[in-house]
Amino acid sequence: MTVLVGVVSQKGGVGKSTLARLIAREYAAAGWDVKIADLDISQGTSTDWKQRREQNCLQPEIAVEPFRTIAQALKHADVYDLMVLDGAPHSMQGTLEIARASALLVLPTGLSLDDLKPSVLLAHELVKAHIPESKITFALCRVGDRDNEIEEARSYIHKAGYSTVAGSIPEKTAYRQASDSGRAVSEVTFPTLRQRAEEVAQGIINKLSKQEA
Ligand SMILES: Nc1ncnc2c1ncn2[C@@H]1O[C@H](COP(=O)(O)OP(=O)(O)OP(=O)(O)O)[C@@H](O)[C@H]1O
Ligand SMILES: [Mg+2]
């Protein structure tokens, strides 16, 4: 059976595609047959990223395909072990459909209240629409270097009733450059940054295996 993971937010630019590629890369490296469904058809950033990955002959190969609708993506899902649904911003209907289809829903968020509040409100909306809370988890992305700021954001999310993925992805030029060359954030050269990305990936893998159990 195909495992489906959704990465969603109402806000743009928070790190959905970055996380989707990280998840896909880590499972692909473990030998899974993986596809990213790029549901942000107007931007197609993950589709472009795959082209850069191919141009640079990077392994493992990761399939990426743009889909206009979730239904179309799902039609193509069953030949893969894992499909990562890379959501579009500003699309409540699309987000709900991804949520219904996915075993786990990852919501990337920054640390400011301007990021956290709308992210939690989105989670509340999803729960209102009968998405189980246990399916929803938050990933802290584009964070600064203050541990207390990270922990405050984590506790804001926990107080709102949701879980967070272990670790966090800092805002770094090296990650941007990795993405520009078709790499996932776990494929950067700097060991400490690679470890930070791997910790988040492992956190998502752990949550997903719990959902599957
Ligand atoms: N941790 C980071 N450090 C540096 N740059 C980052 C980081 N995370 C994301 N970016 C950059 O920020 C931009 C937005 O990230 P990304 O595409 O992952 O967000 P998104 O939520 O998918 O955006 P959209 O809503 O437009 O689809 C990209 O240019 C990406 O390379
Ligand atoms: Mg995106």
Side-chain angles (χ1 to χ4, degrees):
M1 229 186 75
T2 312
V3 178
L4 290 154
V5 189
V7 190
V8 296
S9 72
Q10 288 300 90
K11 283 204 165 206
V14 288
K16 294 181 290 301
S17 300
T18 300
L19 281 183
R21 297 165 196 170
L22 170 66
I23 299 166
R25 192 271 169 194
E26 293 306 296
Y27 276 94
W32 288 44
D33 215 346
V34 178
K35 173 164 265 188
I36 297 175
D38 186 352
L39 292 157
D40 190 354
I41 201 118
S42 62
Q43 297 193 92
T45 56
S46 283
T47 310
D48 289 345
W49 172 80
K50 181 211 160 39
Q51 273 173 10
R52 298 196 294 273
R53 191 172 179 85
E54 274 178 0
Q55 277 156 11
N56 289 325
C57 305
L58 297 172
Q59 292 292 329
E61 270 179 39
I62 298 166
V64 183
E65 192 174 340
F67 291 104
R68 205 164 284 284
T69 64
I70 320 294
Q72 275 169 358
L74 298 182
K75 262 191 230 161
H76 292 77
D78 58 355
V79 292
Y80 296 96
D81 301 318
L82 175 80
M83 185 177 257
V84 186
L85 302 166
D86 180 7
H90 318 298
S91 162
M92 192 56 205
Q93 188 53 34
T95 297
L96 245 182
E97 286 173 28
I98 293 174
R100 291 198 182 106
S102 302
L104 182 73
L105 204 59
V106 183
L107 277 62
T109 179
L111 302 184
S112 68
L113 282 175
D114 286 345
D115 285 344
L116 285 167
K117 209 171 161 206
S119 308
V120 163
L121 284 177
L122 171 62
H124 288 341
E125 284 293 308
L126 292 169
V127 170
K128 241 195 254 165
H130 308 295
I131 303 299
E133 269 162 42
S134 58
K135 250 197 204 186
I136 300 171
T137 193
F138 285 75
L140 301 174
C141 290
R142 311 192 74 163
V143 306
D145 50 15
R146 296 246 175 118
D147 288 347
N148 64 337
E149 189 192 19
I150 298 171
E151 289 323 307
E152 273 168 27
R154 204 181 285 289
S155 92
Y156 180 95
I157 295 163
H158 293 169
K159 276 187 195 138
Y162 301 101
S163 74
T164 56
V165 172
S168 56
I169 307 271
E171 170 85 27
K172 294 285 174 189
T173 303
Y175 286 145
R176 237 184 328 272
Q177 287 172 337
S179 168
D180 285 352
S181 64
R183 287 173 172 82
V185 283
S186 54
E187 293 173 320
V188 291
T189 6
F190 302 103
T192 47
L193 293 185
R194 206 167 53 225
Q195 277 162 17
R196 297 263 320 243
E198 281 169 355
E199 186 187 4
V200 170
Q202 192 56 52
I204 294 171
I205 292 167
N206 292 347
K207 290 203 182 283
L208 194 53
S209 39
K210 254 197 232 161
Q211 290 299 110
E212 292 297 295

